[in-house]
Amino acid sequence: MSAELTKQETWSLLGLSAGCIAIIANTFQGDGEPLIASLSFSGLAFAASYSMIRWLGPVFVKAGLKGKDMSKVKKVEIPEGMGAICAIVYLLVIIFFIPFPFYKDIVEATSGGGLRDEVLHVEHVDLGRHLHRFPHSKLASYLSCILTLQSITLLGIIDDLFDLRWRHKVLIPAFAAIPLLIVYFVDFGVTTVVIPKPLRPYLLPSADSAPLFDLSYLYYMYMAVISIFAPNSINILAGVNGIEVSQSIVVTLLIIINSSLYLLPSPFGFSPHPAEETHLLTLYLLLPFLGVSLALWYHNWYPARVFVGDTYCYFAGMVFAVVGISGHFSKTLLLLLIPQIFNALYSLPQLFHIIPCPRHRLPRFNARTGLLEPSVTQWERPPRPVIALALNILEKLYLIRLEKNPKGEIITSSNFTILNLWLVWFGPMREDRLAMSILAMQMGVGVAGLIVRHKMGRWVFGLDNRGSLPI
């Protein structure tokens, strides 16, 4: 990969940057227009990430941050850990963006209530700064998101540099989420969940009781689990060019669609929606993330010219956890992460070493055919009878592939990842075709999840929090 931008790339990025800066400057003519400013900052984030990935690639290689693509005939060393660049650019962008969501509030708090277009007599003007009008809770939520993402980025960079063992780092994201959870406790503090209609006769004392169940501190444990799961789920669904970034882009687009629904006029007349501000915050955090991810995707897609590293996986997953928790739609987030949930559960036997777990479980590259095949783990001695029985059942369910010796003893089993399972089901594939089929599945499952959330939610819970009438 050349460290220099082509003339076409240079002029295109300069044009994009100039247009975005002009739009940002123009937003101050009104009330700040934070959503338009966020889109513009996203363009700047894309341009900065694209350029810095190209410029800093050789620097990373010289520093020893490099790796070989094991799924290619020629295993050339390419830069690794380039997701750190995107994470840092993203953090800088959302920090520079801080004044824009609060521009109108700043004017109202510091400039006579924001009535700058009206001429008032001096006796009608309340002089002084009115900081009590400023939405401090909204700012605290935004800053806690930034602090959480900074913490997880630091973890990812340390992992890329020192290659931490999984058991040492798996719980660390929960500590990174502490600022977010504290602000949630102070600012929002809701720990009740709506009881599904079929369960209400068994859980409610009377038919007139509110259909709510208080989880108390268990709800904070649930959110901590999400902050642990989301970063690790992106990290373990990896192994082919572009899959980490691409799945993150798909999930980001699905969340953007979900949040945009709350900005549209409700068919039942609820406008603006009470959750509009929280979903605007979600968009402010996701649009720049989409910008940096697209820049990284361009360089990481098959055939990859850079590797994303663990930093991007942790950072991307924590972005989803942050918006899900701060936006109060963590259950919807889980519907969009069903493939990642399945992959995590499917991987548990190897992650807990019930089944032998090799260092890398990525699909095996067949140099003769140029296709990827399911990778396998070797059994140095036959598994215990109960494990052998479980493996044989999984094979009959087409969930793994086994190889046995003439005595009928298991000598190899396919690795427990969704990528290997996909190859077991559909046979050997080229790397980019495997990635695209997984992404198509991710998009299909995500769209189905949104339909379930917004169409079937009324039948399960009696209402849809987008603003539909109860049934």
Side-chain angles (χ1 to χ4, degrees), residues 20 23-24 34-44 97 283 287-288:
C20 291
I23 293 173
I24 292 171
L35 193 56
I36 295 176
S38 181
L39 283 167
S40 302
F41 272 107
S42 303
L44 291 176
F97 178 69
L283 294 177
L287 291 174

Side-chain angles (χ1 to χ4, degrees), residues 178-234:
I178 288 176
L180 185 66
L181 298 181
I182 290 177
V183 171
Y184 183 94
F185 174 78
V186 174
D187 180 40
F188 196 64
V190 175
T191 57
T192 55
V193 294
V194 179
I195 302 174
K197 292 175 67 176
L199 299 179
R200 290 175 187 175
Y202 308 101
L203 296 178
L204 295 179
S206 65
D208 297 330
S209 302
L212 301 173
F213 185 79
D214 188 8
L215 295 176
S216 187
Y217 289 102
L218 290 176
Y219 195 83
Y220 292 94
M221 293 178 63
Y222 157 72
M223 291 189 289
V225 168
I226 289 179
S227 68
I228 294 171
F229 166 74
N232 286 288
S233 69
I234 303 297

Side-chain angles (χ1 to χ4, degrees), residues 68-293:
K68 293 182 179 180
D69 194 337
M70 305 304 294
S71 299
K72 303 292 185 297
V73 175
K74 295 183 179 180
K75 295 175 174 55
V76 181
E77 290 184 335
I78 59 177
E80 190 168 10
M82 304 304 285
I85 295 174
C86 297
I88 293 171
V89 169
Y90 172 83
L91 289 171
L92 292 174
V93 164
I94 61 175
I95 289 172
F96 280 118
F97 178 69
I98 289 175
F100 289 85
F102 306 99
Y103 177 72
K104 185 176 180 180
D105 300 302
I106 292 171
V107 171
E108 290 182 354
T110 61
S111 305
L115 302 174
R116 60 184 182 183
D117 295 326
E118 293 188 33
V119 178
L120 299 177
H121 295 290
V122 67
E123 61 269 19
H124 298 299
V125 178
D126 188 7
L127 301 176
R129 295 163 63 86
H130 304 279
L131 296 182
H132 61 280
R133 298 178 181 173
F134 188 83
H136 294 91
S137 60
K138 179 179 172 184
L139 177 61
S141 179
Y142 189 87
L143 294 179
S144 68
C145 294
I146 294 176
L147 185 55
T148 295
L149 293 172
Q150 286 177 332
S151 302
I152 201 67
T153 300
L154 180 61
L155 166 65
I157 292 174
I158 292 173
D159 192 18
D160 279 333
L161 291 175
F162 301 107
D163 197 17
L164 302 177
R165 289 187 176 275
W166 180 75
R167 64 176 177 268
H168 295 152
K169 63 188 179 183
V170 63
L171 297 178
I172 295 180
F175 296 98
I178 288 176
L180 185 66
L181 298 181
I182 290 177
V183 171
Y184 183 94
F185 174 78
V186 174
D187 180 40
F188 196 64
V190 175
T191 57
T192 55
V193 294
V194 179
I195 302 174
K197 292 175 67 176
L199 299 179
R200 290 175 187 175
Y202 308 101
L203 296 178
L204 295 179
S206 65
D208 297 330
S209 302
L212 301 173
F213 185 79
D214 188 8
L215 295 176
S216 187
Y217 289 102
L218 290 176
Y219 195 83
Y220 292 94
M221 293 178 63
Y222 157 72
M223 291 189 289
V225 168
I226 289 179
S227 68
I228 294 171
F229 166 74
N232 286 288
S233 69
I234 303 297
N235 197 34
I236 64 175
L237 208 173
V240 299
N241 290 171
I243 192 67
E244 300 98 328
V245 186
S246 298
Q247 65 179 301
S248 301
I249 291 174
V250 169
V251 174
T252 300
L253 292 174
L254 291 169
I255 299 176
I256 288 175
I257 292 172
N258 177 70
S259 291
S260 298
L261 294 175
Y262 291 86
L263 307 183
L264 300 175
S266 169
F268 297 93
F270 302 105
S271 183
H273 193 278
E276 179 179 289
E277 286 296 327
T278 58
H279 285 281
L280 280 172
L281 175 62
T282 296
L283 294 177
Y284 300 154
L285 293 172
L286 285 183
L287 291 174
F289 174 73
L290 183 61
V292 299
S293 296

